[in-house]
Amino acid sequence: MRLTKPTLFTNIPVTCEERDLPGDLFNQLMKDDPSTVKGAETLMLGEMLTLPQNFGNIFLGETFSSYISVHNDSHQVVKDILVKADLQTSSQRLNLSASSAAVAELKQDCCIDDVIHHEVKEIGTHILVCAVSYTTQTGEKMYFRKFFKFQVLKPLDVKTKFYNAESDLSSVTDEVFLEAQIQNITTSPMFMEKVSLEPSIMYNVVELNTVSHTEDSISTFGTRTYLQPMDTRQYLYCLKPKQEFAEKAGVIKGVTVIGKLDIVWKTNLGERGRLQTSQLQRMAPGYGDVRLSLETIPDTVNLEEPFDITCKITNCSSERTMDLVLEMCNTNSIHWCGVSGRQLGKLHPTSSLHLTLTLLSSVQGLQSVSGLRLTDTFLKRTYEYDDIAQVCVVSSKIKEN
């Protein structure tokens, strides 16, 4: 027999108005019903609990508990009784018996009881195999098995999306935002006890699912974190590389392990479930051999007035030294000030240099900074950088006002 929590008893209230033919009969019957709540007889929920009437559903992440009883229905005393309970899944067979020792004897109308527990970690078909061996009074060895088949269902649908911070300013370099969409695909509400992200060794994580008010933090989902059937909730996390990894340009490249989600929920009368996703991976943006990022840039500048930006140029190669030449190409709105085609010198592997450039805009509005070209004279390879950032260009009169 599967051991599950009971459920609250529900009844269907039947009532009528006093001037109807039954009069007060229905109301009096509900008051006399022991399952109703006194003073609130018309509520469907009662004060009693109902024991499980069937096996019910079991979901991935929950704990499967079962009561096993071996009863001697004969008129004989049997000896050397060994009870074994195995759980067969699609990939493995697990022994759930609490003890592997045989019971010396089992008298008439007596029984051997055992309770087994198992945290379900696979979906699909499961078979509980209960095997009993014993010896009769005549010394004959007997053996029989019983099979109990059940399905393990998926309780949650989890989808993840990664967003890379592309502004490349010093305060947000290499930030990754993770959006986790969690949907309740069961038929009953869930209380979401915990949804957290365990980051990998390269990252620190900040949860963005609370709003700070003075000293307290309030969940963005309110005080009652219930997830109704088929409802979806979105969780957001910000991951930042640890300092020792952020300083190495070549480390945060390619396929990067982010971490895993840890989800804990409760259903019905406190039945607990827990799921951990596999390691989440994202494809980091490819910077090529040379990375150009902006350290500082003003938000708003005056029309036709020069302004400065600070660039950071990084050699992402771990083996090769580069000899770089900087070219600045004007666009329809952006005009660079200075000498184009100047030598930047040699840049060793994983090292960086900072460069201050001056430019002006001849067109108002939101303008894109483009037109930088870096050429590696060793390989005769040119790297183009367009749409590096955007700046708001206004008339000097508007800015003064």
Side-chain angles (χ1 to χ4, degrees):
M1 181 178 67
R2 182 189 173 193
L3 297 179
T4 58
K5 295 288 182 72
T7 57
L8 290 171
F9 178 79
T10 58
N11 53 31
I12 301 175
V14 179
T15 184
C16 65
E17 296 183 1
E18 292 184 0
R19 64 173 179 266
D20 291 338
L21 184 62
D24 195 42
L25 177 62
F26 290 156
N27 293 333
Q28 189 59 45
L29 288 174
M30 286 194 298
K31 289 181 180 179
D32 295 338
D33 189 343
S35 66
T36 59
V37 179
K38 302 306 176 185
E41 289 82 7
T42 55
L43 290 177
M44 291 186 64
L45 282 180
E47 294 182 317
M48 293 186 175
L49 298 175
T50 304
L51 293 176
Q53 303 300 305
N54 50 45
F55 186 87
N57 294 323
I58 183 164
F59 295 98
L60 183 70
E62 294 183 341
T63 299
F64 169 70
S65 300
S66 182
Y67 167 67
I68 298 174
S69 179
V70 179
H71 186 266
N72 185 0
D73 294 331
S74 70
H75 300 288
Q76 305 177 20
V77 177
V78 295
K79 299 180 179 179
D80 302 327
I81 306 96
L82 181 63
V83 182
K84 186 178 180 182
D86 291 342
L87 186 64
Q88 178 70 55
T89 70
S90 59
S91 63
Q92 58 183 332
R93 188 182 182 107
L94 303 167
N95 180 19
L96 305 183
S97 301
S99 173
S100 58
V103 178
E105 66 176 20
L106 185 62
K107 297 180 180 179
Q108 176 186 350
D109 288 332
C110 292
C111 58
I112 300 172
D113 299 325
D114 191 14
V115 176
I116 59 174
H117 304 280
H118 173 67
E119 184 179 346
V120 181
K121 298 180 180 179
E122 295 182 44
I123 59 174
T125 303
H126 287 56
I127 302 174
L128 180 63
V129 184
C130 297
V132 179
S133 61
Y134 61 94
T135 305
T136 63
Q137 285 183 332
T138 59
E140 183 181 4
K141 293 186 179 296
M142 305 294 289
Y143 175 82
F144 68 92
R145 291 189 301 175
K146 283 197 173 183
F147 301 89
F148 303 91
K149 187 176 180 179
F150 60 93
Q151 293 288 332
V152 175
L153 306 177
K154 186 180 176 182
L156 299 170
D157 186 24
V158 181
K159 298 178 181 178
T160 57
K161 295 181 182 179
F162 291 104
Y163 303 92
N164 298 306
E166 297 292 345
S167 58
D168 289 330
L169 298 181
S170 58
S171 59
V172 291
T173 300
D174 293 320
E175 280 187 354
V176 179
F177 290 90
L178 169 64
E179 176 191 343
Q181 298 181 358
I182 299 176
Q183 183 182 26
N184 175 9
I185 56 177
T186 69
T187 57
S188 59
M190 286 183 177
F191 172 75
M192 304 304 291
E193 185 175 289
K194 184 182 76 169
V195 179
S196 62
L197 177 64
E198 299 179 0
S200 65
I201 190 174
M202 290 185 178
Y203 289 94
N204 293 317
V205 64
V206 178
E207 293 193 15
L208 304 178
N209 306 307
T210 56
V211 179
S212 298
H213 288 284
T214 60
E215 297 181 356
D216 299 327
S217 295
I218 301 175
S219 172
T220 54
F221 309 111
T223 55
R224 297 192 179 108
T225 55
Y226 290 98
L227 194 59
Q228 297 295 333
M230 303 311 296
D231 278 2
T232 301
R233 184 171 289 173
Q234 295 167 303
Y235 295 84
L236 186 62
Y237 304 90
C238 177
L239 296 111
K240 299 179 181 180
K242 293 181 180 178
Q243 190 64 32
E244 57 267 31
F245 297 107
E247 293 175 350
K248 300 177 182 178
V251 173
I252 311 295
K253 282 184 64 179
V255 178
T256 306
V257 175
I258 294 296
K260 55 186 178 181
L261 287 169
D262 188 14
I263 307 169
V264 180
W265 71 90
K266 289 182 179 179
T267 58
N268 295 333
L269 296 181
E271 291 178 285
R272 193 170 182 266
R274 181 183 181 185
L275 279 181
Q276 277 193 332
T277 65
S278 56
Q279 289 287 350
L280 304 175
Q281 293 186 338
R282 63 111 187 190
M283 183 64 72
Y287 302 122
D289 295 331
V290 183
R291 180 183 180 186
L292 187 143
S293 58
L294 283 183
E295 296 288 295
T296 59
I297 184 172
D299 296 327
T300 305
V301 298
N302 287 338
L303 180 67
E304 298 180 347
E305 289 187 9
F307 62 93
D308 293 336
I309 63 173
T310 303
C311 300
K312 180 181 178 181
I313 300 173
T314 305
N315 181 356
C316 296
S317 173
S318 59
E319 300 175 352
R320 188 168 57 85
T321 299
M322 298 181 178
D323 188 16
L324 298 176
V325 175
L326 175 66
E327 295 182 9
M328 300 178 291
C329 304
N330 293 335
T331 64
N332 293 333
S333 58
I334 294 295
H335 305 274
W336 297 92
C337 304
V339 179
S340 180
R342 60 170 162 160
Q343 296 278 346
L344 299 182
K346 293 183 180 180
L347 192 61
H348 297 286
T350 68
S351 60
S352 304
L353 64 86
H354 291 79
L355 197 63
T356 301
L357 301 175
T358 305
L359 61 159
L360 61 85
S361 176
S362 58
V363 180
Q364 294 188 61
L366 190 64
Q367 303 301 326
S368 179
V369 178
S370 301
L372 288 180
R373 305 289 183 263
L374 286 173
T375 301
D376 182 7
T377 59
F378 289 153
L379 294 182
K380 307 297 182 184
R381 184 181 296 172
T382 300
Y383 305 91
E384 299 181 356
Y385 299 95
D386 294 316
D387 298 321
I388 304 169
Q390 291 180 323
V391 63
C392 182
V393 182
V394 299
S395 171
S396 57
K397 295 181 180 178
I398 296 176
K399 193 168 184 180
E400 289 174 2
N401 292 336

